[in-house]
Amino acid sequence: GTVIGLGTGSTAAFAVERVGQKLKSGELKDIIAVPTSIRTKEQAESLGIPLATLDTHSDLDVAIDGADEVDPGLNLVKGGGGALFREKIVEMCAEKFIVIVDESKMCDGLGPGFPVPVEIVPFCHEHTMRQIGKLPALVGCKPVLRLGDVSNNKADGDKPAVTDNGNYIVDLVFTEPIKDPVAAGKQLKDTVGVVDHGLFTGMTTAVIIAGKDGITVKEA
């Protein structure tokens, strides 16, 4: 059967709903889905979509998700909804990674339009935030600890937001575009205390863009 990765967030939720409808109508048959968050898992279960994890199904035919920003090279910022680690581990395993956005998410350079989320371990998180702020490829960024509800980057509480993995999220606020997203991602990943980050570089197969004049598709 076909194995599909199901993303997390408002756009991905519509895609999950469509998969559920097509299964029910018989248009889709013999599929297994791998969800990228507890929220998506619960939604898929409620729609009767058969689920698995990467532990049993490591090779996905396709993954479908939204994004918070898309640059001209189809590099992404993701993780506004707090599920960036699970999204990345699942979407890395997909033969095709299809991203669905509205045209407001298209940008000339990643960073200024949407803070870059980074998942970090709670232990000594203030130290880790300081280390992130000193990385050469991230010069000028302001690390902000996400508070309240993990599924958005608004400060809607006074306690640190906690991911499905029990970690914290730091949102990196930029005034200038990140010059080299690949180097930025590598330096973040090499920082002890960082679990993963919301820069998804070189992963996208195609972006489906909903605009005022209809749908356009950009392929990598």
Side-chain angles (χ1 to χ4, degrees), residues 145-150 152 154-161:
L145 185 66
R146 189 176 295 190
L147 301 175
D149 184 352
V150 78
N152 69 68
K154 316 272 178 287
D156 51 6
D158 48 12
K159 290 196 166 53

Side-chain angles (χ1 to χ4, degrees), residues 153-171:
N153 61 9
K154 316 272 178 287
D156 51 6
D158 48 12
K159 290 196 166 53
V162 178
T163 68
D164 285 351
N165 313 308
N167 297 314
Y168 291 171
I169 287 193
V170 181
D171 291 299

Side-chain angles (χ1 to χ4, degrees), residues 115-190:
V116 177
V118 181
E119 186 160 342
I120 65 170
V121 295
F123 180 74
C124 295
H125 66 276
E126 290 177 10
H127 160 78
T128 304
M129 286 172 69
R130 281 198 301 273
Q131 298 304 107
I132 290 170
K134 293 178 190 166
L135 294 172
L138 298 174
V139 72
C141 86
K142 182 182 161 214
V144 179
L145 185 66
R146 189 176 295 190
L147 301 175
D149 184 352
V150 78
S151 70
N152 69 68
N153 61 9
K154 316 272 178 287
D156 51 6
D158 48 12
K159 290 196 166 53
V162 178
T163 68
D164 285 351
N165 313 308
N167 297 314
Y168 291 171
I169 287 193
V170 181
D171 291 299
L172 308 182
V173 179
F174 290 88
T175 52
E176 298 285 318
I178 300 167
K179 287 189 180 64
D180 186 343
V182 174
K186 183 166 185 348
Q187 288 173 21
L188 280 165
K189 196 79 175 148
D190 287 346

Side-chain angles (χ1 to χ4, degrees), residues 37-168:
S37 65
I38 292 169
R39 286 204 305 288
T40 300
K41 175 176 179 281
E42 288 169 350
Q43 184 194 3
E45 281 172 343
S46 75
L47 294 165
I49 300 171
L51 297 181
T53 70
L54 293 180
D55 289 340
T56 55
H57 294 73
S58 289
D59 296 319
L60 279 64
D61 296 287
V62 64
I64 307 160
D65 207 350
D68 300 303
E69 274 197 316
V70 183
D71 78 3
L74 306 191
N75 298 309
L76 316 172
V77 170
K78 288 179 52 50
L84 64 97
F85 170 74
R86 294 192 185 196
E87 288 170 344
K88 191 174 280 185
I89 196 172
V90 169
E91 286 150 11
M92 290 287 284
C93 295
E95 195 177 319
K96 290 182 177 159
F97 176 32
I98 309 301
V99 177
I100 304 170
V101 294
D102 66 66
E103 61 190 356
S104 70
K105 306 293 174 72
M106 307 305 289
C107 67
D108 294 329
L110 303 178
F114 196 93
V116 177
V118 181
E119 186 160 342
I120 65 170
V121 295
F123 180 74
C124 295
H125 66 276
E126 290 177 10
H127 160 78
T128 304
M129 286 172 69
R130 281 198 301 273
Q131 298 304 107
I132 290 170
K134 293 178 190 166
L135 294 172
L138 298 174
V139 72
C141 86
K142 182 182 161 214
V144 179
L145 185 66
R146 189 176 295 190
L147 301 175
D149 184 352
V150 78
S151 70
N152 69 68
N153 61 9
K154 316 272 178 287
D156 51 6
D158 48 12
K159 290 196 166 53
V162 178
T163 68
D164 285 351
N165 313 308
N167 297 314
Y168 291 171

Side-chain angles (χ1 to χ4, degrees), residues 191-204:
T191 303
V192 179
V194 169
V195 178
D196 221 314
H197 54 80
L199 293 166
F200 285 48
T201 55
M203 286 174 59
T204 309

